[in-house]
Amino acid sequence: MSETITFTWKDRTIELPVVEGTEGEKAIDISKLRKETGLITMDPGFVNTGCCKSAITFMDGERGILRYRGYPIEQLAEESSFREVAYLLINGELPTRKQITRFSVLLNDHSLVHEDMRQFFGSFPMQSHPMGILSSMVNALKSFYPYLAGTREEINTTVTRLISKVRTLAAMSYKISKGHTVVYPRPDLSYCENFLNMMFDSPVRPYKMDHDVVNALSVFLILHADHEQNCSTSAVRIVGSGRVNLYASISAGIAALWGPLHGGANQAVIEMLEKIDRRELTINDAVKKSKDKNDPFRLMGFGHRVYKTYDPRAKIMKKVCDRLLDKLHINDPLLDIAQTLEDIALNDDYFISHNLYPNVDFYSGIVLRAIGIPTNMFTVMFAIGRLPGWIAQWKESMEDPEWKLNRPRQIYTGPVKRDYIPLENR
Ligand code: CMC
C-alpha cells in the first residue's frame, strides 16, 4: 500500500500520494492540488520542489554522495575516462568495447565544424566573453546541421556531433581570440588530448602531450559531467519542454551556467584569490566581508544548495590539484592562499553553523591554470564537462511519459483592475 498525505483546507480534504525514489528519498505529489483545492504552492528558488523523476544522477547533500547511473564519482574519476562517462550518462550503461570504439569513431567523424562558422568568431567584439560566444555558436549549429533526429541512430549522431563539436568550437574561439592559426582535430588523439592539442599546438611550438595533464583534464570533465537538477540543467529541461531542438536547449544551458553563483564561480574564485595575491584584499577581510549581511561579497567556491558537507567533487579536485602541481613542479601562490582560506573558513563559527564547505569550483581554477587554460575560458571548460549531463537530461525529459510543458504559476501582487487613463489626463 503506497503512502499518502492527508491535506485539509477549509471544507476540502484530499489525499496526496508520496513518491519514493530508489535511494529512499520521498516527495509529496501535488499535481492534483490546484485542480482539487484552487491552491498552488510557493517555493522561491525551488528549494523544496522536485520537477521530475530522473534515473541519471544521485546526490545526497548531507552525506556528500554523488553517483552517475549508480556509479560513485570517486570510482569514475579514478578508473574511467570522460568519453566513457559521457556514454554512461547518455545511454544509461557503461559501454562495451565495441560500443566505446563506435562512439570514438563517431566523435572523430564529427569533430570538424563547418568552415563558414569560423567567420562568426571574427564578428564578435574583441572583449566578448567566451561563454557568450559558445552559447551563440551552439545555437547556430542548428542552422548548419538542420536535420536533427528521428530514429535512435539519428539522435545518437546529433548527440555525438554536439559533444565533439563543442570541444572544437571552444578551442577555435581561443585560437581566434589570440589571432593564432586554428588547429584542427586529429584522428589519432583521444577526446581530451585532441582538445589540448587544438588549444595549445602551434606551427612554431608543437604541443608536448603530458599524460598527467591529460588525466587531470579528464577528471575535471568527469567531475563536472552531471549534477542533477541544477540551474543550467533546469534551464535545458525548461527550454526543451517547449519541444525546442537540442542545440537551442543546450545553448540556454550554457547561458545559465555563465553566472558567478553557478558555473562562473570557477572564474570568480581565481579572481578573488588573485586579488588577495595582489594584496588588494586580505584573507581575513575576505572572510569578514563574506559574513557581513550588508555586503554582497561571498566567499566564492564555498557553499552549495544541496551539499551541506564537503562537496565530494572538491575532495577529488584538491587531490588532482596537489598531484598535478607537484608533477609539473608548479609553485602557484594561489594554492597556498586557497589552503589558508579554507583552513580559516572551516574553523570559523559562521561557516560551521551555515554548513559552508568548499565546492567543486574552489580548487578547479588552480588545476585549469596549471593546464594552461586562461581564466576567461574556465566556465567554458565547465560547459564542455557538463554537456553529456545536459544531453542525458534533455533526452530523458523527451522520453518521459509524464512530460509536460514547463510552466510555473505565480501569486500576482500588482495593481487590481483599474481603468486606462488617456495621455492628456495623466
Ligand atoms: N559565503 C558566505 N556566506 C554564504 C556563502 C558564501 N559563499 N554561501 C552561502 N552563504 C550564506 C548566506 O549568506 C546565507 O546566510 P543566512 O542564512 O545567514 O542569510 C546562507 O549561507 C544560505 O545561503 P543561500 O544563498 O540561501 O543558499 P543557496 O543554497 O541559495 O546558495 C550558493 C548556494 C552556491 C548560491 C551559495 O552558497 C553561494 O553564493 N556560493 C558562492 C558561489 C559559488 O561558489 N557557487 C558555485 C556553486 S558549486 C558549482 C555549481 O554546481 O554550480
Side-chain angles (χ1 to χ4, degrees), residues 261-262 290 293 298-299 301-303 305 350 354 356 359 361:
L261 296 189
H262 189 16
S290 73
K293 289 288 156 244
R298 282 189 165 191
L299 209 54
F302 263 77
R305 171 63 60 79
Y350 172 91
H354 283 74
L356 297 170
N359 59 49
D361 293 315

Side-chain angles (χ1 to χ4, degrees), residues 308 344-357:
K308 297 304 162 204
I344 292 177
L346 291 185
N347 288 297
D348 185 290
D349 282 347
Y350 172 91
F351 283 81
I352 296 169
S353 62
H354 283 74
N355 295 318
L356 297 170
Y357 293 86

